Amino acid sequence: MSSRDLEEQVALQGQGSYMYKGQNHYPLPVVDLKGRLEHNSDPDVRTALVQQLREAGKVGSFCVVNHGIEEKLLMEFKQVCRQFFALPLEEKINCSKTPIPGCYRPLGYQGQFHNRTQKSFVIQRREVFEIQGSPSSYNHDLVPWPELLLSFRGCLEAFAKEMQGLTKWMLEALAEGLGLGKDAFLKQIGGDEFHQQVNVCSYPMMEKQPKEIINPSTIAFGAHSDLTIMNLVLEDDVGGAQVYHDDRWFDVKPIPEGVTLFLGDPMECMSNGMYHAMIHRVVAPENNSRFSCVSTVEPIDKERTVIHPVPELVESLGTPAKYVPYNFLGRFMSIAGKRFEPEIMTKRFMVTDAAVLDSLRDFSVRDGVFHIGSRPLGSFTEGF
Ligand SMILES: O=C(O)CCC(=O)C(=O)O
Ligand SMILES: [Fe+2]
Protein backbone atom coordinates (compact mmCIF):
# COMPACT_ATOMS: atom_id res chain seq x y z
CA MET A 1 0.00 0.00 0.00
CA SER A 2 1.30 3.46 -0.80
CA SER A 3 1.24 6.06 1.96
CA ARG A 4 -1.54 7.92 0.17
CA ASP A 5 -3.56 4.74 0.12
CA LEU A 6 -2.91 4.28 3.78
CA GLU A 7 -4.06 7.76 4.65
CA GLU A 8 -7.18 7.25 2.59
CA GLN A 9 -7.89 3.94 4.23
CA VAL A 10 -7.41 5.31 7.73
CA ALA A 11 -9.70 8.23 6.99
CA LEU A 12 -12.37 5.92 5.66
CA GLN A 13 -12.31 3.23 8.26
CA GLY A 14 -12.04 4.88 11.57
CA GLN A 15 -11.11 7.80 13.64
CA GLY A 16 -7.38 7.23 13.71
CA SER A 17 -5.39 4.73 15.65
CA TYR A 18 -7.25 2.89 18.34
CA MET A 19 -6.30 -0.25 20.16
CA TYR A 20 -8.45 -2.27 22.49
CA LYS A 21 -7.53 -1.27 26.02
CA GLY A 22 -10.49 -2.76 27.89
CA GLN A 23 -11.42 0.58 29.42
CA ASN A 24 -14.41 2.71 28.76
CA HIS A 25 -16.90 -0.15 28.57
CA TYR A 26 -20.39 0.33 27.21
CA PRO A 27 -22.99 -1.01 29.63
CA LEU A 28 -24.54 -3.59 27.31
CA PRO A 29 -27.52 -5.35 28.90
CA VAL A 30 -26.88 -8.88 30.15
CA VAL A 31 -29.92 -11.16 30.10
CA ASP A 32 -29.89 -14.37 32.13
CA LEU A 33 -31.76 -17.04 30.15
CA LYS A 34 -31.67 -19.62 32.93
CA GLY A 35 -35.44 -20.03 32.88
CA ARG A 36 -35.50 -20.70 29.14
CA LEU A 37 -34.98 -24.44 29.41
CA GLU A 38 -35.60 -25.16 33.08
CA HIS A 39 -39.03 -23.55 33.21
CA ASN A 40 -39.90 -23.96 29.60
CA SER A 41 -43.61 -24.35 30.21
CA ASP A 42 -44.04 -21.69 32.90
CA PRO A 43 -45.72 -18.71 31.21
CA ASP A 44 -44.67 -16.25 33.93
CA VAL A 45 -41.00 -17.11 33.48
CA ARG A 46 -41.30 -16.68 29.73
CA THR A 47 -43.12 -13.37 30.07
CA ALA A 48 -40.39 -12.04 32.36
CA LEU A 49 -37.64 -13.14 29.97
CA VAL A 50 -39.43 -11.74 26.97
CA GLN A 51 -39.76 -8.36 28.67
CA GLN A 52 -36.07 -8.26 29.50
CA LEU A 53 -35.23 -9.15 25.93
CA ARG A 54 -37.48 -6.40 24.63
CA GLU A 55 -35.58 -3.83 26.68
CA ALA A 56 -32.26 -5.31 25.57
CA GLY A 57 -33.43 -5.26 21.95
CA LYS A 58 -34.08 -1.54 22.21
CA VAL A 59 -30.37 -1.10 22.90
CA GLY A 60 -29.67 -3.38 19.94
CA SER A 61 -26.75 -5.30 21.31
CA PHE A 62 -26.79 -7.40 24.46
CA CYS A 63 -25.27 -10.48 26.02
CA VAL A 64 -27.17 -13.60 27.05
CA VAL A 65 -25.81 -15.92 29.76
CA ASN A 66 -27.04 -19.35 30.85
CA HIS A 67 -28.19 -19.72 27.26
CA GLY A 68 -28.32 -23.51 27.45
CA ILE A 69 -25.30 -24.35 25.29
CA GLU A 70 -23.18 -26.71 27.38
CA GLU A 71 -19.98 -25.33 28.78
CA LYS A 72 -18.09 -28.46 27.79
CA LEU A 73 -19.03 -27.98 24.14
CA LEU A 74 -18.09 -24.28 24.29
CA MET A 75 -14.67 -25.08 25.76
CA GLU A 76 -13.96 -27.83 23.23
CA PHE A 77 -15.14 -25.61 20.42
CA LYS A 78 -12.93 -22.68 21.41
CA GLN A 79 -9.97 -24.99 21.87
CA VAL A 80 -10.33 -26.72 18.52
CA CYS A 81 -10.72 -23.36 16.76
CA ARG A 82 -7.53 -22.11 18.42
CA GLN A 83 -5.81 -25.28 17.24
CA PHE A 84 -7.06 -24.66 13.73
CA PHE A 85 -5.66 -21.13 13.53
CA ALA A 86 -2.35 -22.38 14.98
CA LEU A 87 -1.93 -24.85 12.09
CA PRO A 88 0.84 -24.15 9.56
CA LEU A 89 -0.26 -21.58 6.99
CA GLU A 90 0.08 -24.14 4.14
CA GLU A 91 -2.42 -26.42 5.87
CA LYS A 92 -4.85 -23.53 6.32
CA ILE A 93 -4.41 -22.53 2.69
CA ASN A 94 -5.24 -26.12 1.72
CA CYS A 95 -8.63 -25.40 3.30
CA SER A 96 -9.20 -22.21 1.25
CA LYS A 97 -12.76 -21.15 0.58
CA THR A 98 -14.45 -23.29 -2.06
CA PRO A 99 -17.79 -22.82 -3.83
CA ILE A 100 -20.10 -25.64 -2.81
CA PRO A 101 -23.34 -26.58 -4.60
CA GLY A 102 -26.35 -25.57 -2.52
CA CYS A 103 -24.38 -23.04 -0.47
CA TYR A 104 -24.80 -19.31 -0.60
CA ARG A 105 -21.11 -18.49 -0.22
CA PRO A 106 -17.85 -20.32 -0.69
CA LEU A 107 -16.93 -22.17 2.51
CA GLY A 108 -13.60 -22.74 4.21
CA TYR A 109 -10.59 -20.67 5.18
CA GLN A 110 -9.75 -17.08 4.26
CA GLY A 111 -6.72 -15.16 5.52
CA GLN A 112 -6.52 -11.44 6.21
CA PHE A 113 -7.11 -9.27 3.16
CA HIS A 114 -7.56 -5.78 1.89
CA ASN A 115 -9.49 -4.92 -1.23
CA ARG A 116 -10.02 -1.73 -3.07
CA THR A 117 -13.70 -1.29 -3.82
CA GLN A 118 -15.19 1.55 -5.84
CA LYS A 119 -14.82 4.04 -3.05
CA SER A 120 -12.75 2.57 -0.28
CA PHE A 121 -10.46 -0.08 1.03
CA VAL A 122 -12.08 -2.97 2.77
CA ILE A 123 -9.72 -4.32 5.35
CA GLN A 124 -10.43 -7.55 7.04
CA ARG A 125 -7.70 -8.03 9.56
CA ARG A 126 -8.90 -11.39 10.65
CA GLU A 127 -8.62 -14.97 9.53
CA VAL A 128 -11.88 -16.87 9.15
CA PHE A 129 -13.14 -20.37 8.60
CA GLU A 130 -16.70 -20.31 7.36
CA ILE A 131 -19.33 -23.01 7.27
CA GLN A 132 -23.05 -23.01 6.54
CA GLY A 133 -25.05 -24.35 9.46
CA SER A 134 -28.46 -24.32 7.82
CA PRO A 135 -30.32 -25.12 5.71
CA SER A 136 -28.23 -28.25 5.88
CA SER A 137 -29.32 -29.81 2.63
CA TYR A 138 -25.82 -29.37 1.19
CA ASN A 139 -23.04 -31.89 1.55
CA HIS A 140 -20.74 -31.05 4.47
CA ASP A 141 -18.18 -33.47 3.00
CA LEU A 142 -17.38 -30.90 0.32
CA VAL A 143 -16.20 -28.30 2.86
CA PRO A 144 -12.38 -28.20 2.72
CA TRP A 145 -11.88 -29.47 6.28
CA PRO A 146 -8.34 -29.54 7.70
CA GLU A 147 -6.76 -32.98 7.41
CA LEU A 148 -4.48 -32.31 10.36
CA LEU A 149 -7.31 -31.54 12.78
CA LEU A 150 -9.96 -34.19 12.47
CA SER A 151 -12.01 -33.10 15.49
CA PHE A 152 -12.62 -29.64 13.94
CA ARG A 153 -15.56 -30.67 11.77
CA GLY A 154 -17.62 -32.49 14.40
CA CYS A 155 -17.14 -29.73 16.91
CA LEU A 156 -18.09 -26.97 14.47
CA GLU A 157 -21.17 -28.84 13.33
CA ALA A 158 -22.28 -29.50 16.91
CA PHE A 159 -21.79 -25.86 17.86
CA ALA A 160 -23.63 -24.60 14.75
CA LYS A 161 -26.62 -26.78 15.63
CA GLU A 162 -26.79 -25.49 19.19
CA MET A 163 -26.61 -21.89 17.96
CA GLN A 164 -29.43 -22.60 15.52
CA GLY A 165 -31.70 -23.60 18.40
CA LEU A 166 -30.80 -20.51 20.40
CA THR A 167 -31.29 -18.29 17.34
CA LYS A 168 -34.78 -19.57 16.63
CA TRP A 169 -35.78 -19.21 20.26
CA MET A 170 -34.43 -15.67 20.29
CA LEU A 171 -36.27 -14.62 17.11
CA GLU A 172 -39.51 -15.87 18.63
CA ALA A 173 -38.92 -14.23 22.01
CA LEU A 174 -38.00 -10.90 20.41
CA ALA A 175 -41.24 -10.98 18.40
CA GLU A 176 -43.26 -11.78 21.51
CA GLY A 177 -41.51 -8.92 23.28
CA LEU A 178 -43.31 -6.53 20.92
CA GLY A 179 -46.67 -8.17 21.56
CA LEU A 180 -46.50 -10.06 18.25
CA GLY A 181 -47.01 -13.72 17.45
CA LYS A 182 -43.89 -15.87 17.86
CA ASP A 183 -43.47 -16.26 14.13
CA ALA A 184 -43.79 -12.57 13.17
CA PHE A 185 -40.09 -12.23 12.25
CA LEU A 186 -39.54 -15.82 11.14
CA LYS A 187 -42.50 -15.57 8.76
CA GLN A 188 -40.91 -12.62 7.03
CA ILE A 189 -37.62 -14.41 6.52
CA GLY A 190 -39.12 -17.58 5.15
CA GLY A 191 -40.65 -19.69 7.93
CA ASP A 192 -39.11 -22.19 10.31
CA GLU A 193 -35.79 -22.52 8.54
CA PHE A 194 -33.26 -19.80 7.92
CA HIS A 195 -29.81 -19.53 6.42
CA GLN A 196 -27.15 -19.70 9.13
CA GLN A 197 -23.54 -18.93 8.31
CA VAL A 198 -20.96 -19.66 11.02
CA ASN A 199 -17.72 -17.69 10.81
CA VAL A 200 -14.94 -18.71 13.15
CA CYS A 201 -12.54 -15.76 13.43
CA SER A 202 -9.06 -15.08 14.72
CA TYR A 203 -7.89 -11.48 15.06
CA PRO A 204 -4.09 -11.45 15.29
CA MET A 205 -2.55 -9.07 17.80
CA MET A 206 -0.72 -6.06 16.42
CA GLU A 207 2.82 -7.47 16.64
CA LYS A 208 1.82 -10.48 14.58
CA GLN A 209 0.44 -8.49 11.65
CA PRO A 210 2.03 -9.56 8.37
CA LYS A 211 4.43 -6.79 7.36
CA GLU A 212 2.71 -5.79 4.15
CA ILE A 213 -0.50 -4.76 5.85
CA ILE A 214 0.89 -3.00 8.89
CA ASN A 215 -0.45 0.52 8.79
CA PRO A 216 -1.39 3.24 11.23
CA SER A 217 -4.98 2.10 11.53
CA THR A 218 -5.77 -0.51 14.12
CA ILE A 219 -9.26 -1.23 12.84
CA ALA A 220 -9.56 -4.97 12.30
CA PHE A 221 -13.16 -5.05 11.05
CA GLY A 222 -14.63 -1.69 10.10
CA ALA A 223 -17.65 0.18 11.44
CA HIS A 224 -20.96 -1.28 10.31
CA SER A 225 -24.41 -2.29 11.37
CA ASP A 226 -25.22 -5.86 10.40
CA LEU A 227 -27.06 -6.49 7.13
CA THR A 228 -28.05 -9.90 8.42
CA ILE A 229 -31.16 -10.38 10.56
CA MET A 230 -28.92 -10.70 13.58
CA ASN A 231 -25.52 -12.03 14.58
CA LEU A 232 -24.73 -14.11 17.64
CA VAL A 233 -21.13 -13.78 18.77
CA LEU A 234 -19.10 -16.01 21.03
CA GLU A 235 -15.68 -14.70 22.05
CA ASP A 236 -12.79 -15.37 24.39
CA ASP A 237 -11.65 -12.98 27.11
CA VAL A 238 -9.31 -10.85 24.96
CA GLY A 239 -11.76 -8.17 23.80
CA GLY A 240 -11.73 -5.91 20.77
CA ALA A 241 -15.38 -5.30 19.84
CA GLN A 242 -16.64 -1.76 20.15
CA VAL A 243 -20.05 -0.14 19.83
CA TYR A 244 -20.87 3.35 18.63
CA HIS A 245 -23.13 5.48 20.77
CA ASP A 246 -23.63 9.26 20.99
CA ASP A 247 -20.79 9.89 18.51
CA ARG A 248 -18.30 7.88 20.54
CA TRP A 249 -16.79 4.43 20.48
CA PHE A 250 -17.06 2.25 23.57
CA ASP A 251 -15.33 -1.05 24.30
CA VAL A 252 -17.49 -4.13 24.76
CA LYS A 253 -16.48 -6.08 27.84
CA PRO A 254 -16.04 -9.70 26.80
CA ILE A 255 -18.18 -12.26 28.64
CA PRO A 256 -16.60 -15.51 27.44
CA GLU A 257 -19.35 -17.75 28.78
CA GLY A 258 -22.06 -15.59 27.21
CA VAL A 259 -23.29 -15.01 23.67
CA THR A 260 -23.49 -11.42 22.45
CA LEU A 261 -26.24 -10.49 20.02
CA PHE A 262 -26.11 -7.73 17.45
CA LEU A 263 -29.53 -7.09 15.97
CA GLY A 264 -29.15 -6.23 12.30
CA ASP A 265 -30.78 -3.61 10.06
CA PRO A 266 -33.65 -5.96 9.10
CA MET A 267 -34.61 -6.29 12.77
CA GLU A 268 -34.66 -2.53 13.11
CA CYS A 269 -36.87 -2.29 10.03
CA MET A 270 -39.19 -5.19 10.92
CA SER A 271 -39.68 -3.82 14.44
CA ASN A 272 -40.35 -0.35 13.01
CA GLY A 273 -37.46 1.05 15.02
CA MET A 274 -38.46 -0.50 18.36
CA TYR A 275 -35.27 -2.56 18.11
CA HIS A 276 -32.02 -0.97 17.11
CA ALA A 277 -29.17 -2.09 14.88
CA MET A 278 -26.15 -0.83 16.74
CA ILE A 279 -23.09 0.26 14.81
CA HIS A 280 -20.05 -1.70 15.87
CA ARG A 281 -16.52 -2.62 14.79
CA VAL A 282 -13.56 -4.65 15.97
CA VAL A 283 -10.20 -3.09 16.80
CA ALA A 284 -6.95 -4.99 16.93
CA PRO A 285 -6.17 -6.63 20.23
CA GLU A 286 -3.02 -5.30 21.87
CA ASN A 287 -1.56 -8.22 23.81
CA ASN A 288 -3.07 -11.39 22.49
CA SER A 289 -4.84 -12.73 19.44
CA ARG A 290 -8.62 -12.71 19.78
CA PHE A 291 -11.01 -15.53 18.98
CA SER A 292 -14.63 -14.97 18.06
CA CYS A 293 -17.32 -16.95 16.33
CA VAL A 294 -20.11 -15.14 14.52
CA SER A 295 -23.27 -17.08 13.75
CA THR A 296 -25.48 -15.17 11.33
CA VAL A 297 -29.17 -15.40 10.40
CA GLU A 298 -30.35 -14.61 6.89
CA PRO A 299 -33.45 -15.46 4.87
CA ILE A 300 -33.28 -18.61 2.76
CA ASP A 301 -34.81 -17.05 -0.33
CA LYS A 302 -32.86 -13.80 -0.35
CA GLU A 303 -34.03 -12.79 -3.82
CA ARG A 304 -37.67 -12.85 -2.87
CA THR A 305 -37.52 -11.67 0.70
CA VAL A 306 -38.87 -8.20 1.30
CA ILE A 307 -38.03 -6.77 4.69
CA HIS A 308 -40.72 -4.43 5.98
CA PRO A 309 -42.15 -3.21 9.27
CA VAL A 310 -44.51 -5.88 10.64
CA PRO A 311 -48.00 -4.55 9.70
CA GLU A 312 -49.64 -5.67 12.99
CA LEU A 313 -46.98 -3.76 14.88
CA VAL A 314 -47.43 -0.60 12.85
CA GLU A 315 -51.14 -0.88 13.50
CA SER A 316 -50.77 -1.46 17.22
CA LEU A 317 -48.28 1.36 17.65
CA GLY A 318 -50.64 3.69 15.87
CA THR A 319 -47.66 5.52 14.38
CA PRO A 320 -46.69 5.48 10.72
CA ALA A 321 -44.18 2.96 9.43
CA LYS A 322 -40.76 4.52 9.67
CA TYR A 323 -38.90 2.27 7.26
CA VAL A 324 -39.10 1.66 3.55
CA PRO A 325 -39.58 -1.99 2.67
CA TYR A 326 -36.56 -3.33 0.88
CA ASN A 327 -35.43 -6.39 -0.93
CA PHE A 328 -32.96 -8.28 1.26
CA LEU A 329 -30.58 -9.32 -1.48
CA GLY A 330 -30.85 -5.98 -3.26
CA ARG A 331 -29.67 -4.10 -0.23
CA PHE A 332 -27.06 -6.73 0.57
CA MET A 333 -25.60 -6.49 -2.93
CA SER A 334 -25.69 -2.73 -3.04
CA ILE A 335 -24.04 -2.23 0.35
CA ALA A 336 -21.98 -5.30 1.22
CA GLY A 337 -18.81 -4.30 -0.63
CA LYS A 338 -18.75 -0.72 0.58
CA ARG A 339 -20.33 -0.84 3.97
CA PHE A 340 -17.21 0.03 5.92
CA GLU A 341 -17.54 3.65 4.94
CA PRO A 342 -18.12 6.62 7.21
CA GLU A 343 -21.57 7.14 5.67
CA ILE A 344 -22.70 4.03 7.48
CA MET A 345 -22.97 6.32 10.47
CA THR A 346 -26.11 7.76 8.94
CA LYS A 347 -29.00 5.40 8.62
CA ARG A 348 -29.93 5.18 5.00
CA PHE A 349 -33.10 3.22 4.99
CA MET A 350 -35.48 5.23 7.10
CA VAL A 351 -38.53 6.65 5.43
CA THR A 352 -38.11 10.23 4.32
CA ASP A 353 -40.56 10.21 1.49
CA ALA A 354 -44.19 10.76 2.54
CA ALA A 355 -45.46 9.24 -0.69
CA VAL A 356 -43.65 6.02 0.11
CA LEU A 357 -45.32 5.94 3.49
CA ASP A 358 -48.76 5.90 1.93
CA SER A 359 -48.03 2.84 -0.10
CA LEU A 360 -45.95 1.02 2.48
CA ARG A 361 -48.06 -2.10 2.63
CA ASP A 362 -48.38 -2.29 -1.11
CA PHE A 363 -45.08 -3.87 -2.07
CA SER A 364 -44.31 -6.82 -4.29
CA VAL A 365 -41.55 -8.47 -6.27
CA ARG A 366 -42.61 -8.98 -9.87
CA ASP A 367 -40.22 -10.67 -12.28
CA GLY A 368 -37.35 -9.96 -9.95
CA VAL A 369 -38.20 -6.28 -9.76
CA PHE A 370 -39.18 -4.80 -6.43
CA HIS A 371 -42.27 -2.54 -6.50
CA ILE A 372 -43.97 -0.27 -4.04
CA GLY A 373 -47.46 0.14 -5.41
CA SER A 374 -46.97 0.39 -9.13
CA ARG A 375 -43.60 2.09 -8.73
CA PRO A 376 -40.68 -0.17 -9.69
CA LEU A 377 -37.74 0.44 -7.34
CA GLY A 378 -35.18 -1.68 -9.10
CA SER A 379 -34.13 -5.26 -9.35
CA PHE A 380 -32.14 -7.09 -6.72
CA THR A 381 -29.16 -7.33 -9.02
CA GLU A 382 -28.99 -3.57 -9.50
CA GLY A 383 -29.73 -2.65 -5.93
CA PHE A 384 -31.79 0.43 -5.32
O1 LIG B 1 -15.85 -10.72 15.71
C1 LIG B 1 -16.71 -10.03 16.27
O2 LIG B 1 -16.73 -9.88 17.48
C2 LIG B 1 -17.80 -9.32 15.50
C3 LIG B 1 -17.57 -9.27 14.03
C4 LIG B 1 -18.72 -8.62 13.33
O3 LIG B 1 -19.18 -7.58 13.72
C5 LIG B 1 -19.34 -9.25 12.16
O4 LIG B 1 -18.82 -10.28 11.67
O5 LIG B 1 -20.37 -8.73 11.69
FE1 LIG C 1 -21.13 -7.15 12.81
Side-chain angles (χ1 to χ4, degrees):
M1 259 192 224
S2 74
S3 61
R4 213 192 121 261
D5 286 346
L6 285 179
E7 272 166 38
E8 190 183 339
Q9 180 264 317
V10 171
L12 284 166
Q13 289 205 19
Q15 286 87 53
S17 178
Y18 196 109
M19 230 181 262
Y20 179 78
K21 301 255 191 276
Q23 300 157 349
N24 179 29
H25 286 129
Y26 189 80
L28 287 187
V30 178
V31 181
D32 189 338
L33 296 187
K34 199 152 182 269
R36 168 173 98 94
L37 301 170
E38 279 175 25
H39 306 281
N40 193 17
S41 50
D42 184 336
D44 291 344
V45 173
R46 186 167 179 96
T47 306
L49 273 181
V50 154
Q51 279 171 3
Q52 287 177 51
L53 287 169
R54 179 190 56 216
E55 295 312 305
K58 288 180 185 169
V59 177
S61 177
F62 54 95
C63 186
V64 293
V65 293
N66 294 319
H67 36 61
I69 305 178
E70 272 190 27
E71 202 181 322
K72 185 166 170 283
L73 173 63
L74 289 189
M75 305 244 301
E76 280 172 13
F77 173 67
K78 284 183 190 175
Q79 191 184 357
V80 81
C81 291
R82 242 176 252 122
Q83 287 168 343
F84 172 77
F85 289 115
L87 287 174
L89 186 61
E90 311 83 73
E91 170 70 358
K92 290 190 277 185
I93 288 173
N94 284 339
C95 308
S96 287
K97 276 192 178 175
T98 310
I100 293 176
C103 288
Y104 292 94
R105 304 195 185 106
L107 301 179
Y109 172 78
Q110 183 169 41
Q112 301 181 46
F113 69 89
H114 43 109
N115 279 344
R116 176 180 270 289
T117 63
Q118 276 167 334
K119 277 176 79 181
S120 71
F121 279 109
V122 172
I123 279 230
Q124 206 152 301
R125 193 174 279 160
R126 69 178 190 184
E127 297 176 88
V128 289
F129 189 94
E130 240 175 272
I131 65 158
Q132 181 173 304
S134 70
S136 51
S137 43
Y138 74 104
N139 187 348
H140 287 243
D141 293 343
L142 300 176
V143 175
W145 299 104
E147 283 173 13
L148 296 181
L149 189 61
L150 295 177
S151 52
F152 191 56
R153 171 177 177 171
C155 209
L156 240 77
E157 286 173 352
F159 176 75
K161 208 165 171 44
E162 288 294 311
M163 283 300 240
Q164 247 173 64
L166 178 61
T167 302
K168 183 158 181 275
W169 186 89
M170 196 60 76
L171 283 167
E172 291 178 346
L174 285 165
E176 276 181 66
L178 299 179
L180 298 168
K182 271 185 181 182
D183 63 347
F185 296 143
L186 277 161
K187 211 163 51 186
Q188 221 178 103
I189 64 174
D192 255 5
E193 273 211 306
F194 47 83
H195 165 211
Q196 176 202 31
Q197 196 85 10
V198 179
N199 307 340
V200 174
C201 314
S202 172
Y203 295 83
M205 63 181 181
M206 286 311 287
E207 285 82 346
K208 296 236 175 94
Q209 301 296 325
K211 246 203 163 90
E212 66 277 11
I213 65 163
I214 283 200
N215 66 57
S217 169
T218 54
I219 310 299
F221 198 73
H224 64 285
S225 55
D226 290 318
L227 298 174
T228 51
I229 311 300
M230 65 187 189
N231 285 358
L232 287 82
V233 180
L234 177 76
E235 64 181 318
D236 60 15
D237 59 359
V238 173
Q242 296 188 320
V243 291
Y244 190 69
H245 180 79
D246 271 353
D247 298 333
R248 283 178 57 199
W249 286 102
F250 292 84
D251 291 331
V252 173
K253 189 177 170 63
I255 302 184
E257 70 281 12
V259 170
T260 302
L261 279 92
F262 288 95
L263 305 189
D265 294 344
M267 280 297 260
E268 184 168 320
C269 175
M270 290 192 290
S271 68
N272 201 34
M274 294 288 286
Y275 293 147
H276 177 52
M278 226 180 176
I279 289 166
H280 56 283
R281 68 182 185 184
V282 181
V283 294
E286 195 174 17
N287 300 316
N288 215 335
S289 61
R290 169 178 186 257
F291 161 80
S292 78
C293 175
V294 185
S295 172
T296 73
V297 192
E298 291 174 47
I300 291 190
D301 189 351
K302 302 179 204 312
E303 291 176 15
R304 307 223 154 254
T305 297
V306 176
I307 301 291
H308 56 90
V310 175
E312 296 87 330
L313 181 65
V314 175
E315 228 155 76
S316 72
L317 292 173
T319 51
K322 290 191 201 150
Y323 295 79
V324 186
Y326 67 92
N327 176 278
F328 182 86
L329 189 65
R331 184 155 185 273
F332 207 98
M333 303 294 273
S334 63
I335 294 183
K338 36 185 169 148
R339 67 191 176 125
F340 299 117
E341 292 171 16
E343 297 95 89
I344 195 72
M345 302 297 175
T346 53
K347 289 297 172 84
R348 287 179 287 193
F349 67 118
M350 284 189 73
V351 169
T352 49
D353 179 350
V356 174
L357 268 178
D358 292 339
S359 52
L360 245 189
R361 307 238 177 94
D362 189 17
F363 54 80
S364 59
V365 181
R366 281 176 250 149
D367 302 324
V369 178
F370 180 58
H371 288 69
I372 290 183
S374 57
R375 187 151 70 101
L377 283 188
S379 73
F380 54 82
T381 44
E382 292 159 15
F384 50 85

